Amino acid sequence: MSDGGRHTLGRWLRDRARATPDRVAIDADGRLVTYGELDAGSDAWAAHFHGAGLRRGDRVATLTGNTPEHVQVFFACAKSGLVLVPLSWRLAAPELEYQLQDSEPSIVLVEEEYADLVAGDPFRVEPGVAPDVDVSDDDGLLLIYTSGTTGKPKGALLTHANCFWTNLSLDLVTPMAEDDVVLQVLPQFHCGGWNVQPLLAWWKGARVVLERGFDPARVLELIERKRVTTIMGVPAIYLFLAQHPGFDEADLSSLRRAVVGGAPMPEALLERWAARGVTVVQGYGLTEGAPNVLCLPPEDAARKLGFAGKPYPFVDVDLSADGELLVRGPNVFPG
């Protein structure tokens, strides 16, 4: 299978599966999926899409919780030059209908749990060989709807290059290693559910503990039992964890860092986590920036409490005359 671009994400999984096929890529509630199985599964989905008539540039909409199959579909799209449109299961049927009409997908995959919201095909596929597609850096990969503007949600198209550079810059500020264990509780219809730790983990050969939802007691238990080393969440997640009765006694010794975004984190909450010996890395991003824009490095976390940080590598920011934040870089979406 060829790649027309140097920064396409399809080869991330192919390269990793060739190097460490038996290493665990995903732990989904005790179901262990190796890199070899993840690669073969994405090939099967790519073959399925090709057999259904989808070609480079076509869109694949999904309505599902966090599952290994959804990760396989993502990498199938990456290998095939297709665009993944992950829809939010938190939306009502009319809202989903609008996004489907707006994004014009060639196929819609729906997990059985959400079949009452949208009609679509089930998440099932037979083994198959992925087609040989010449994928470009500038080909679309993710179309994620964001409500960060007035009116109806807008679909932000992120390219392979956008995802490549935002993950590279993330790794330069908050490095990840092959022995890291990532706890993912963010939904996969969110940009952070892909580009803030999970994709970087699969690039590096780390393990992702993939959760379908967030429960404070379960998260604290998973950190101890799975020896989680890093987690990303919004401030509310860290607040609920800190407020849980078992927080002070929980074994957090494996946790090297915690990344927070989506909103400012109160200083008192940062101090609460610091008292437990956990470094909280603050940042600012937006879907249109894929999403990483600003980050406060770990060594500055205690000294600059409440700050969003400095631009990520390869990212430039400025303030316009009327106070708007201007962002430029290879992470910024094409439209």
Side-chain angles (χ1 to χ4, degrees):
M1 187 179 295
S2 62
D3 273 321
R6 297 179 180 180
H7 307 118
T8 53
L9 270 63
R11 72 168 307 137
W12 285 15
L13 182 56
R14 290 200 301 273
D15 289 347
R16 176 50 56 187
R18 182 172 61 237
T20 57
D22 299 324
R23 184 180 295 172
V24 173
I26 299 174
D27 180 345
D29 197 18
R31 174 190 167 195
L32 304 182
V33 180
T34 67
Y35 278 95
E37 291 168 340
L38 193 59
D39 188 44
S42 65
D43 278 353
W45 278 108
H48 177 75
F49 295 145
H50 188 79
L54 275 68
R55 297 296 182 265
R56 180 178 170 185
D58 287 341
R59 295 169 179 179
V60 177
T62 57
L63 185 63
T64 176
N66 292 353
T67 65
E69 286 75 19
H70 200 204
V71 181
Q72 291 174 355
V73 168
F74 170 88
F75 280 110
C77 290
K79 292 176 177 180
S80 306
L82 303 174
V83 180
L84 179 64
V85 188
L87 301 172
S88 171
W89 39 261
R90 291 175 178 160
L91 298 178
E95 295 170 307
L96 290 168
E97 185 64 28
Y98 162 75
Q99 292 186 9
L100 285 169
Q101 291 177 356
D102 186 62
S103 59
E104 299 180 326
S106 298
I107 192 171
V108 182
L109 299 175
V110 181
E111 193 177 17
E112 185 176 353
E113 181 177 340
Y114 305 109
D116 60 330
L117 290 174
V118 167
D121 298 328
F123 268 87
R124 290 192 299 270
V125 71
E126 297 297 325
V129 178
D132 188 3
V133 180
D134 192 25
V135 184
S136 166
D137 293 354
D138 294 328
D139 282 350
L141 177 58
L142 279 169
L143 182 62
I144 297 181
Y145 278 82
T146 174
S147 56
T149 58
T150 57
K152 292 183 179 297
K154 310 293 194 304
L157 180 66
L158 302 178
T159 67
H160 286 257
N162 292 153
C163 294
F164 177 94
W165 288 105
T166 201
N167 277 283
L168 180 59
S169 65
L170 177 67
D171 192 42
L172 291 173
V173 176
T174 59
M176 188 172 293
E178 62 182 19
D179 64 344
D180 268 306
V181 179
V182 177
L183 179 59
Q184 184 189 346
V185 295
L186 290 182
Q188 289 175 330
F189 59 74
H190 189 283
C191 188
W194 299 104
N195 278 332
V196 186
Q197 295 192 335
L199 285 180
L200 179 58
W202 294 316
W203 194 7
K204 291 298 193 76
R207 178 181 299 212
V208 175
V209 178
L210 190 61
E211 287 286 288
R212 287 182 67 88
F214 169 71
D215 175 79
R218 178 168 171 81
V219 166
L220 292 174
E221 187 269 334
L222 284 172
I223 290 173
E224 177 177 354
R225 178 162 55 90
K226 303 289 187 178
R227 305 307 295 165
V228 171
T229 62
T230 184
I231 184 175
M232 191 278 170
V234 296
I237 284 177
Y238 294 105
L239 176 63
F240 292 143
L241 289 170
Q243 289 178 337
H244 190 273
F247 181 73
D248 289 326
E249 288 73 36
D251 181 0
L252 305 180
S253 59
S254 64
L255 204 56
R256 298 171 188 164
R257 76 187 66 84
V259 179
V260 64
M265 190 153 163
E267 292 186 23
L269 186 55
L270 287 167
E271 292 167 349
R272 179 94 166 91
W273 278 85
R276 289 296 336 264
V278 177
T279 299
V280 177
V281 178
Q282 288 210 99
Y284 164 79
L286 68 166
T287 302
E288 294 86 346
N292 303 314
V293 175
L294 302 173
C295 185
L296 194 64
E299 60 266 32
D300 291 333
R303 185 174 62 88
K304 302 289 285 184
L305 285 176
F307 283 71
K310 309 168 186 177
Y312 274 93
F314 313 110
V315 180
D316 296 311
V317 300
D318 200 358
L319 281 175
S320 68
D322 54 0
E324 288 185 322
L325 183 69
L326 306 178
V327 183
R328 179 179 61 190
N331 60 312
V332 176
F333 78 139

